[in-house]
């Protein structure tokens, strides 16, 4: 086992050095560049450089991938490439219906359920369920460690309060790992009585490198970003551990193949629905005041940062000019003569912060009752629906 583990880690090193890993990094770069454009359009500044985001994501991704590789070897999670001939096309079809259905939980579970009842396609259901659990275990660890980094402040539409402060979290990670790939149907007499635990002993297996990319996207108005990401990570961790346990049991008790597949898809959907319901029903923590503006985020090394402004501070005046919007702040800053004075109302107490230079930009994202950047809380983006609507518009135009 130790020799196999050493070979796996050596292969993992070569996977990281492969051109395919570079391709995944390029795809991640494209995603982070898209986010950078969104930040510039929304905030007027970026939360972090693309280079720093890429380095941080790669370190976390590779580090957590080591855990995934070790678990694959210890549990003996074997993969037959034919199992994915049906899962991947289905995942692409589901992606068109709803972008969140691209997750392996949906395609893998549906194929497993069909296979259980009809015998076609003939796949290793237990192994497929274990892979779903393992991928979500890796994701839960990454979300816990890195999910809230470089979050972006937003203004969200709310049914009760109209507008509220919110935070968008978008992270992407490269995931290089090693799998046990079934290459022959010859029986291997050298295998122990318990290993591989989640693979057919009727196959010969070899170590093979694989590369994936994981992404985390979420939005919250009822929690601080770090709190929300940790809540999601803990729920996902319990989901993944339960899934892996069900896959192990299903190797001995056949009905658990069906139970595991149904659990994967229904529980995954439940976690998403529960999170959306919480966001809609619980009270937001940052509600625009009737007078003044509320600080939602402070840019590092900005005048607002050096003045000690913090999230939740209520700015009521800038250089003696009362403010109720971003436009008022810009006007107040232009009124400064050699310095900047910010009046803050907190806990019914008025205090002043001073900056010894005249500035034209505060470096803080604020919300007010007149904020214009509005996002709706939704997780139902459909590519197919977008294409159909675009086709209908063209048809009406003709």
């Amino acid at each position: 086992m130790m020799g196999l583990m050493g070979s796996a880690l050596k292969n993992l090193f070569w996977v990281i050095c492969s051109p395919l890993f570079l391709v995944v990094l390029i795809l991640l770069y494209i995603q982070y560049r898209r986010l950078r454009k969104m930040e510039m359009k929304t905030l007027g500044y970026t939360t972090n450089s693309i280079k720093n985001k890429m380095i941080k994501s790669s370190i976390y991704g590779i580090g957590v991938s080591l855990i995934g590789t070790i678990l694959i070897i210890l549990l003996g999670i074997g993969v037959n490439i034919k199992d994915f001939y049906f899962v991947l096309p289905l995942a692409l079809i589901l992606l068109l219906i709803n972008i969140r259905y691209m997750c392996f939980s949906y395609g893998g579970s549906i194929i497993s359920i069909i296979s259980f009842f009809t015998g076609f396609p003939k796949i290793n259901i237990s192994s497929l369920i274990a892979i779903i659990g393992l991928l979500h275990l890796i994701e839960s660890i990454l979300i816990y460690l890195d999910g809230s980094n470089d979050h972006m402040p937003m203004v969200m539409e709310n049914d009760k309060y109209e507008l509220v402060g919110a935070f968008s979290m978008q992270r992407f990670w490269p995931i290089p790992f090693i799998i046990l790939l079934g290459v022959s149907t010859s029986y291997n007499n050298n295998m122990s009585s318990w290993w591989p635990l989640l693979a057919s002993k009727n196959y010969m297996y070899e170590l093979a490198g694989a590369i994936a990319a994981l992404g985390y996207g979420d939005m919250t108005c009822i929690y601080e970003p770090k709190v929300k990401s940790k809540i999601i990570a803990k729920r996902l961790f319990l989901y993944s551990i339960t899934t892996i346990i069900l896959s192990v049991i299903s190797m001995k008790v056949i009905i658990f193949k069906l139970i595991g597949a149904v659990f994967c898809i229904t529980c995954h959907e439940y976690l998403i629905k529960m999170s959306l319901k919480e966001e809609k029903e619980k009270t937001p923590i940052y509600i625009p005041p009737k007078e003044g503006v509320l600080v939602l985020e402070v840019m590092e090394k900005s005048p607002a940062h050096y003045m000690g402004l913090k999230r939740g501070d209520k700015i009521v005046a800038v250089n003696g000019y009362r403010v109720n919007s971003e436009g008022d702040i810009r006007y107040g800053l232009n009124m400064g003569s050699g310095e900047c004075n910010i009046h803050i109302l907190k806990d019914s107490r008025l205090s002043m912060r001073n900056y010894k230079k005249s500035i034209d930009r505060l470096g803080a994202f604020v919300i007010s009752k007149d904020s214009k950047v509005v996002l709706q809380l939704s997780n139902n983006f459909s590519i197919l629906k977008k294409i159909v609507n675009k086709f209908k518009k063209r048809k009406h135009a003709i």
Side-chain angles (χ1 to χ4, degrees):
M1 178 64 71
M2 291 303 296
L4 184 63
M5 191 70 71
S7 297
L9 295 178
K10 188 182 295 184
N11 284 355
L12 183 62
F13 171 78
W14 290 113
V15 170
I16 296 171
C17 297
S18 69
L20 187 57
F21 186 73
L22 180 60
V23 171
V24 172
L25 289 180
I26 292 173
L27 292 175
L28 262 61
Y29 173 82
I30 292 171
Q31 292 296 326
Y32 280 126
R33 187 176 65 176
R34 177 183 62 84
L35 289 178
R36 183 180 181 277
K37 290 180 180 179
M38 187 185 300
E39 287 174 346
M40 290 301 297
K41 183 178 180 180
T42 305
L43 309 178
Y45 63 87
T46 58
T47 55
N48 205 343
S49 68
I50 296 178
K51 177 183 175 182
N52 288 340
K53 289 180 180 179
M54 290 286 295
I55 292 173
K56 193 181 296 183
S57 293
S58 297
I59 291 173
Y60 278 113
I62 293 172
V64 177
S65 295
L66 285 172
I67 299 175
T69 295
I70 291 171
L71 286 175
I72 286 175
I73 301 302
L74 288 178
L75 293 176
I77 302 176
V79 175
N80 190 332
I81 197 66
K82 293 181 181 179
D83 293 353
F84 295 91
Y85 288 170
F86 298 92
V87 176
L88 294 180
L90 179 59
L92 292 175
I93 294 172
L94 293 173
L95 168 65
L96 295 175
I97 299 172
N98 192 310
I99 195 167
R100 80 166 186 268
Y101 293 159
M102 182 178 65
C103 176
F104 204 60
S105 294
Y106 297 96
S109 296
I110 291 172
I111 291 296
S112 295
I113 293 170
I114 293 173
S115 176
F116 181 86
F117 285 110
T118 67
F120 178 85
K122 194 172 183 179
I123 61 173
N124 188 337
I125 296 176
S126 298
S127 176
L128 208 55
I129 294 172
I131 291 171
I132 293 173
L134 182 64
L135 288 174
H136 284 84
L137 177 64
I138 291 173
E139 185 180 3
S140 70
I141 297 172
L142 287 170
I143 292 173
Y144 188 89
L145 297 174
D146 190 41
S148 64
N149 285 332
D150 303 319
H151 58 266
M152 183 165 59
M154 292 285 190
V155 178
M156 180 187 290
E157 191 175 40
N158 184 275
D159 293 337
K160 185 176 181 180
Y161 299 98
E162 295 187 5
L163 300 178
V164 297
F167 302 94
S168 172
M169 292 166 282
Q170 294 277 339
R171 299 296 291 169
F172 305 95
W173 304 280
I175 308 296
F177 58 98
I178 300 301
I179 59 175
L180 292 172
L181 185 64
V183 294
S184 171
T185 55
S186 300
Y187 184 78
N188 188 356
N189 292 313
N190 295 324
M191 290 185 181
S192 66
S193 60
W194 68 271
W195 191 94
L197 188 62
L198 292 164
S200 172
K201 289 183 171 60
N202 294 325
Y203 279 88
M204 293 283 289
Y205 293 92
E206 67 177 23
L207 297 174
I211 302 175
L214 285 180
Y216 168 60
D218 206 349
M219 189 173 290
T220 183
C221 65
I222 61 174
Y223 297 111
E224 297 289 350
K226 187 171 289 188
V227 174
K228 177 61 182 282
S229 64
K230 282 180 169 35
I231 289 173
I232 295 298
K234 290 175 182 177
R235 290 173 181 173
L236 205 57
F237 180 81
L238 291 175
Y239 166 82
S240 62
I241 293 298
T242 305
T243 301
I244 292 173
I245 291 173
L246 288 173
S247 69
V248 173
I249 297 174
S250 70
M251 292 295 290
K252 301 293 183 181
V253 185
I254 294 178
I255 191 62
F256 273 85
K257 294 181 186 293
L258 177 61
I259 293 173
V262 172
F263 173 83
C264 282
I265 191 169
T266 55
C267 187
H268 191 279
E269 188 69 9
Y270 171 76
L271 290 176
I272 292 173
K273 295 291 186 181
M274 180 172 63
S275 180
L276 287 172
K277 186 179 179 181
E278 287 176 345
E279 292 291 339
K280 288 181 178 181
E281 294 182 354
K282 290 187 177 181
T283 304
I285 53 178
Y286 296 111
I287 302 169
K290 293 181 179 179
E291 294 183 353
V293 298
L294 197 67
V295 176
L296 195 59
E297 195 71 33
V298 175
M299 184 180 178
E300 286 189 11
K301 299 180 181 180
S302 66
H305 172 78
Y306 291 123
M307 280 189 280
L309 293 183
K310 295 180 180 179
R311 187 182 296 160
D313 285 347
K314 179 181 174 182
I315 301 175
V316 294
V318 176
N319 290 325
Y321 182 78
R322 295 186 68 86
V323 297
N324 291 298
S325 67
E326 290 185 62
D328 290 342
I329 290 179
R330 287 192 291 270
Y331 182 84
L333 292 175
N334 292 330
M335 297 286 287
S337 55
E339 62 179 2
C340 177
N341 295 312
I342 304 289
H343 284 84
I344 298 171
L345 186 63
K346 196 166 188 176
D347 299 327
S348 301
R349 293 183 179 182
L350 189 66
S351 62
M352 188 184 78
R353 308 291 170 82
N354 177 265
Y355 191 71
K356 296 297 183 181
K357 293 181 181 179
S358 181
I359 56 175
D360 58 3
R361 193 179 191 86
L362 189 58
F365 184 86
V366 300
I367 56 172
S368 68
K369 61 181 184 299
D370 298 321
S371 293
K372 296 180 180 180
V373 182
V374 178
L375 293 176
Q376 291 183 328
L377 181 63
S378 176
N379 202 21
N380 295 311
F381 178 74
S382 172
I383 296 176
L384 186 61
K385 187 175 181 181
K386 189 175 181 180
I387 294 173
V388 170
N389 290 337
K390 186 177 288 187
F391 177 78
K392 286 181 178 179
K393 287 181 180 179
R394 285 186 178 181
K395 189 175 181 181
H396 287 309
I398 294 172

